[in-house]
Amino acid sequence: MSRKVVRTSKFRHVFGQALKADQCYDDIRISQMTWDSNFCSVNPKFVAMIVDASGGGAFIVLPLSKTGRIDMSLPTVCGHTGPVLDIEFCPHNDNIIASGSEDCSVMIWEIPDGGLISPLKDPVVKLEGHSKRVGILSWHPTAHNVLMSAGCDNVVILWNVARGEAVVRIDSMHTDLIYSACWNRNGSQILTSCKDKKLRVIDPRKGSVICEKDKPHEGSRPVRAVFVSDGKILTTGFSRMSERQVALWDPNNFSEPLNLQELDTSSGVLLPFFDPDTGVVYLCGKGDSSIRYFEVTDEAPYVHYLSMYSSKESQKGMGYMPKRGLEVNKCEIARFYKLHERKCEPIVMTVPRKSDLFQEDLYPDTIGPEPSVEADDWFAGKNGEPILISLKDGFVATTKNKEFKVIKSLMRGLLKQHSKPPASRSRTPPPQPTKIQAPSSLLLDWGISGLLKSRTILLAAQLTGMISNKPARISPIADTRLTLGLTSSFSMQVVNSAPAHRMSRDRTVSIQLMIVMARAA
């Protein structure tokens, strides 16, 4: 009797866990649009979510630390005149985010450190070139200021964002709606899936097809595709019987898939997220309440099922944190931001390890925020490999974010000038009240039995210093001092008063002190 051998893998016991309620983002009205995009984008600074908005489109941007209940009056990014369909943070500058909308435009926004303090209506750059709604956005992984957009007009445009111009326009290749579009690891190729049931690998600068595959999945439902290790392609789609499938392809031989698995019969589109460092791909279905994850290897059968994270509530969208935003001391290999109807819930994927030391096998050098090539050079034909960073001591930015510069003199009518925000008013810190001690002769003359009087005089002396430093709030000063009885003659009266009247005088001074403190407040 043969014994079944269990495949060894360090990711076999990966488990998902949702964070506690106080670490979620509550009371957020997530967009009700039926578009099949992520609706969420995350980086080590911010989390952005598309929300419902009347009279146009909007999304909110929150610092990661701003958890708990989100105020309804929180400022939003609300410059679009139609619903926002897709958003994505720039991988080279954590403060820059792009948005595509039903109003046929793409807008670039700059988020201040600490988040928004007022509604943001004017974009840094407005890119206009699509004739129908824009539903797919993707920044170039290695080239600075290069953005790809795809719209319902079946057109793919590559933008030089700094110049505000469309450099490459692929408008005659796709004959129907584009389902997905993504870059390979160094940004030298584009992969698209289309409603015409074709999978295309494209040279982005020439605008030509390198190879294509007809009907990667037999069903008519949307197909999603991403590049994985060694240039292979992973697709998610549907069979003729509407069963959801995942398949792995070799672009050099599109005749047969390397692996094809049927998952279930749900109707939601599976959104794939691939981690090139670990070789793990996560499949998140819109409308599902689970996340499946598989390991992609070089040996047959190539795609190995690992496990599944399940919860009670379905997901309306999903954000995926870049590797440099994870907590390496907790063996965290992935973090998702799951969108519910009224909240955003972080979900952490962890490899159980007993040691507290840095796990080098889990965290090889990963893609950092520094671009390796400029936009003009990339469009001229130069490729750049990703610049890798180590996560051994946790990601620490050694250089500032790559500055986002707009070349206004080279705009060709596509850049909408925006008014500069008013300079922040410098606020002079209010002067601190002078601490004045009561004369020691007064305190010594009273003795221990006069403790109440000593405390009263100390408070009164401190109040005198506060009055002298804040004349605008307490007026007139002379009348206040007379009311309090802080003149030297009154002090002498208190000291020289008969012992029988000390308690009554204490009460008088305390009452007068309370009156003046109330006036000062």
Side-chain angles (χ1 to χ4, degrees):
M1 182 176 178
S2 63
R3 210 172 183 183
K4 186 177 180 181
V5 179
V6 178
R7 189 183 67 92
T8 58
S9 171
K10 54 193 168 190
F11 304 110
R12 206 158 57 89
H13 301 290
V14 172
F15 68 96
Q17 187 174 17
L19 298 187
K20 296 180 180 179
D22 59 347
Q23 295 176 286
C24 297
Y25 307 86
D26 288 317
D27 208 12
I28 300 173
R29 298 176 301 164
I30 302 299
S31 174
Q32 300 295 320
M33 291 295 295
T34 56
W35 188 254
D36 288 328
S37 71
N38 297 344
F39 282 13
C40 180
S41 186
V42 196
N43 65 26
K45 273 188 181 181
F46 302 105
V47 53
M49 294 162 276
I50 302 176
V51 296
D52 267 339
S54 57
F59 60 95
I60 61 172
V61 181
L62 301 173
L64 289 184
S65 58
K66 190 177 178 62
T67 55
R69 186 180 179 276
I70 305 302
D71 195 346
M72 296 285 288
S73 60
L74 189 79
T76 60
V77 182
C78 51
H80 286 284
T81 57
V84 177
L85 300 179
D86 197 15
I87 52 177
E88 183 168 353
F89 277 108
C90 177
H92 311 304
N93 189 330
D94 289 341
N95 296 75
I96 298 297
I97 187 171
S99 61
S101 168
E102 277 196 355
D103 62 9
C104 309
S105 68
V106 177
M107 295 186 181
I108 312 298
W109 311 87
E110 185 168 12
I111 309 299
D113 288 331
L116 299 177
I117 57 175
S118 61
L120 188 58
K121 298 181 180 180
D122 297 319
V124 180
V125 182
K126 185 175 182 180
L127 307 172
E128 295 178 312
H130 288 280
S131 59
K132 291 186 179 179
R133 59 184 180 177
V134 182
I136 299 172
L137 296 175
S138 183
W139 289 94
H140 195 285
T142 61
H144 190 216
N145 287 341
V146 176
L147 177 68
M148 172 175 62
S149 65
C152 293
D153 51 3
N154 312 332
V155 175
V156 175
I157 298 179
L158 303 183
W159 304 89
N160 184 333
V161 174
R163 297 175 181 269
E165 62 183 9
V167 182
V168 177
R169 184 181 178 91
I170 305 172
D171 53 5
S172 59
M173 182 180 299
H174 301 88
T175 59
D176 212 328
L177 178 67
I178 301 171
Y179 285 142
S180 69
C182 69
W183 303 90
N184 65 346
R185 184 173 173 83
N186 68 352
S188 60
Q189 295 178 356
I190 289 175
L191 173 63
T192 64
S193 61
C194 183
K195 196 175 180 180
D196 62 8
K197 295 187 178 182
K198 284 188 179 181
L199 198 65
R200 296 176 175 90
V201 179
I202 304 169
D203 184 323
R205 286 164 288 209
K206 295 180 181 178
S208 59
V209 177
I210 299 174
C211 57
E212 65 180 16
K213 167 64 179 174
D214 283 326
K215 294 186 178 179
H217 298 274
E218 295 292 335
S220 58
R221 300 275 296 154
V223 173
R224 290 299 184 103
V226 291
F227 281 108
V228 293
S229 305
D230 301 324
K232 296 184 179 68
I233 295 171
L234 184 133
T235 61
T236 62
F238 295 80
S239 68
R240 288 181 179 177
M241 304 301 292
S242 294
E243 294 174 320
R244 291 198 294 193
Q245 298 175 327
V246 56
L248 186 69
W249 305 86
D250 184 355
N252 299 320
N253 182 13
F254 261 143
S255 58
E256 291 292 333
L258 297 175
N259 185 289
L260 178 65
Q261 298 183 28
E262 292 186 351
L263 303 177
D264 54 25
T265 56
S266 180
S267 61
V269 177
L270 287 169
L271 308 176
F273 297 92
F274 179 68
D275 180 4
D277 300 332
T278 61
V280 178
V281 61
Y282 304 86
L283 303 183
C284 310
K286 295 204 75 171
D288 289 3
S289 57
S290 62
I291 301 174
R292 291 179 177 86
Y293 32 104
F294 301 79
E295 186 176 2
V296 181
T297 64
D298 297 331
E299 300 175 355
Y302 303 105
V303 180
H304 308 272
Y305 174 76
L306 292 175
S307 186
M308 179 171 62
Y309 165 80
S310 297
S311 60
K312 294 181 180 179
E313 297 188 43
S314 61
Q315 54 223 20
K316 294 179 65 67
M318 193 71 71
Y320 181 64
M321 173 68 78
K323 211 60 174 290
R324 56 192 173 92
L326 304 181
E327 296 186 31
V328 296
N329 58 333
K330 295 182 180 179
C331 295
E332 180 182 340
I333 63 168
R335 189 190 309 161
F336 293 92
Y337 286 75
K338 175 182 175 180
L339 301 186
H340 301 250
E341 283 198 13
R342 297 286 294 187
K343 77 172 182 179
C344 175
E345 177 185 43
I347 298 172
V348 174
M349 298 292 176
T350 307
V351 176
R353 293 283 173 94
K354 291 182 179 180
S355 174
D356 293 333
L357 300 176
F358 177 72
Q359 307 294 316
E360 294 186 4
D361 59 328
L362 298 183
Y363 300 105
D365 289 352
T366 189
I367 298 176
E370 192 70 21
S372 58
V373 62
E374 290 297 323
D376 292 334
D377 296 333
W378 184 82
F379 281 113
K382 181 181 177 181
N383 288 325
E385 294 299 320
I387 298 177
L388 305 182
I389 59 172
S390 173
L391 298 177
K392 186 167 185 177
D393 300 318
F395 172 69
V396 178
T398 56
T399 57
K400 291 183 67 177
N401 278 338
K402 190 71 177 178
E403 189 176 358
F404 184 78
K405 293 182 179 180
V406 177
I407 308 174
K408 296 183 179 179
S409 60
L410 298 175
M411 293 300 176
R412 298 179 180 178
L414 297 175
L415 174 60
K416 179 181 178 182
Q417 298 289 348
H418 69 292
S419 59
K420 294 184 179 180
S424 59
R425 298 179 181 177
S426 59
R427 295 184 179 179
T428 305
Q432 298 295 325
T434 308
K435 294 185 178 180
I436 303 175
Q437 293 185 352
S440 58
S441 59
L442 299 182
L443 302 179
L444 293 174
D445 189 32
W446 287 352
I448 299 176
S449 62
L451 180 61
L452 178 61
K453 271 189 179 149
S454 66
R455 295 184 65 182
T456 305
I457 290 298
L458 281 171
L459 290 171
Q462 290 179 359
L463 185 61
T464 305
M466 184 173 68
I467 292 171
S468 62
N469 284 320
K470 295 184 179 181
R473 290 184 61 187
I474 304 175
S475 180
I477 301 174
D479 294 345
T480 308
R481 287 180 175 172
L482 289 174
T483 305
L484 183 59
L486 290 178
T487 61
S488 59
S489 60
F490 178 77
S491 300
M492 293 303 297
Q493 289 174 10
V494 174
V495 173
N496 296 327
S497 60
H501 300 288
R502 284 180 182 174
M503 188 57 67
S504 61
R505 290 235 176 236
D506 285 345
R507 290 175 180 170
T508 304
V509 173
S510 299
I511 292 171
Q512 291 175 345
L513 179 60
M514 291 170 63
I515 292 172
V516 175
M517 290 177 72
R519 288 181 181 177

